[in-house]
Amino acid sequence: MTEVRQQASEAVVDAVLTASRTLVAVSEQSLGGAAEETTLAQYRALVVLASRGAQRMVDLAGALGVTPSTSGRMCDRLVRKGLIRRHRARADRREVLVSITPSGRQVVDQATGRRRALLREILGKLPAEQQAAVASALAAFAAAAGEVPDSQWPRHSDDGDTEEDA
């Protein structure tokens, strides 16, 4: 079956671009004190690992839209900060995976809590029917971009392993 793609109008692109600036600002604000230690790109890597579980470096790079060498340098920094760890895959000991640590998960969870509060405040300025329309449109947008909803993130144990790692 062939996928039908429609060209988005300039008005739609402009509206999403404008909204994206607000969302980037909310993202930056939500990092709080972690922003001094963690860049938005590093935070995005933490979110990918929290939402998708342990990843091979090449898969993480693909999810982030960067080269494997860029992903590797970013992971080196996150390992030094204690926010992720490298480990061998159980199925194939030659394969190296990266996964989020409890400290990294704490950064994601705290930022998510702050982000929820900031978004709740902005959305509270809209009537209920517009809030529902925004939620529906953004859910479709996130799905089209391949984003994993929070409700589908793997659960983490106290040692940082996900259900998939165990």
Side-chain angles (χ1 to χ4, degrees):
M1 176 154 90
T2 349
E3 184 179 321
V4 178
R5 292 181 184 246
Q6 295 183 348
Q7 186 71 25
S9 73
E10 282 304 307
V12 169
V13 171
D14 286 346
V16 173
L17 183 63
T18 301
S20 74
R21 286 193 294 267
T22 301
L23 293 172
V24 168
V26 166
S27 295
E28 181 68 35
Q29 290 173 25
S30 71
L31 284 176
E36 295 175 18
E37 299 288 324
T38 310
T39 67
L40 277 177
Q42 290 171 343
Y43 177 73
R44 179 69 186 141
L46 293 175
V47 168
V48 167
L49 294 173
S51 66
R52 300 179 186 184
Q55 299 281 301
R56 294 180 313 149
M57 197 68 68
V58 67
D59 296 329
L60 179 60
L64 297 173
V66 299
T67 64
S69 63
T70 298
S71 176
R73 287 189 302 277
M74 184 184 310
C75 286
D76 289 343
R77 291 182 196 101
L78 291 169
V79 165
R80 283 194 300 272
K81 293 176 185 181
L83 301 176
I84 68 170
R85 69 183 182 99
R86 282 192 175 92
H87 51 97
R88 299 272 176 198
R90 290 192 174 122
D92 181 351
R93 302 293 298 160
R94 295 171 297 175
E95 193 170 71
V96 176
L97 302 174
V98 289
S99 61
I100 195 165
T101 64
S103 295
R105 184 60 193 236
Q106 184 177 14
V107 168
V108 171
D109 290 346
Q110 288 174 349
T112 299
R114 285 189 290 271
R115 187 170 300 169
R116 283 181 180 279
L118 291 165
L119 291 172
R120 200 172 282 116
E121 183 180 327
I122 294 167
L123 289 166
K125 297 175 183 178
L126 300 174
E129 60 276 359
Q130 283 185 330
Q131 290 180 26
V134 167
S136 177
L138 288 177
F141 183 83
E147 190 66 27
V148 178
D150 290 20
S151 62
Q152 295 176 13
W153 287 16
R155 289 187 314 224
H156 292 261
S157 65
D158 290 338
D159 66 359
D161 285 344
T162 64
E163 289 178 335
E164 293 127 25
D165 294 338

